[in-house]
Structures are given as C-alpha cells and as structure tokens.
Amino acid sequence: MENPEKALEEARQAGIDLDLLDSNLALPVKERWRQHDGALAFILKLEEAKRKHDAGLQSVTREAR
C-alpha cells in the first residue's frame, strides 16, 4: 500500500467506522467469536419468527383482488 493515510481517509469518507473496527480488533479472538455466535443466533431466531409469521398469512388470488 503506497499511501495508508489516504486509504484510511477514503474509508472514513465512505462511512466506515474505523474506531469501531479498532475496538473490535482489540478484543481477544475468543470474545469476537462469542459476539459473532450471539449475533448469528439472534438472526436465526428472527428468520424463524418470519417463517412462522409468513406461514400464517393467507395468499390472495387475483380473482379475490
């Protein structure tokens, strides 16, 4: 990388939160995996709730519209 400062500034301008990246990278790997697993479990619960919700919806035929 020829100009790391330029790359960092471009990342900031693109909206990347470099402070958040730094704070996450300061965590031990085991903690980052724990957080990842928690977020994944949450997403899977949301997806399951959506499937259950959608299963309860009635489809509408064109004639009924």
Side-chain angles (χ1 to χ4, degrees):
M1 182 177 295
E2 289 184 27
N3 189 347
E5 290 301 318
K6 181 181 177 191
L8 290 172
E9 185 54 36
E10 288 175 0
R12 282 187 192 94
Q13 289 178 1
I16 296 173
D17 187 344
L18 298 177
D19 292 329
L20 180 60
L21 286 174
D22 284 340
S23 64
N24 279 319
L25 289 172
L27 296 172
V29 172
K30 189 173 183 177
E31 175 61 17
R32 294 198 313 256
W33 274 112
R34 189 192 69 74
Q35 289 181 6
H36 171 272
D37 290 346
L40 178 59
F42 178 66
I43 289 168
L44 293 174
K45 284 182 182 180
L46 289 176
E47 288 178 343
E48 179 61 23
K50 182 181 184 313
R51 275 193 292 277
K52 287 179 180 179
H53 174 267
D54 290 352
L57 297 177
Q58 296 178 359
S59 64
V60 176
T61 62
R62 289 184 182 203
E63 296 82 33
R65 289 183 192 173

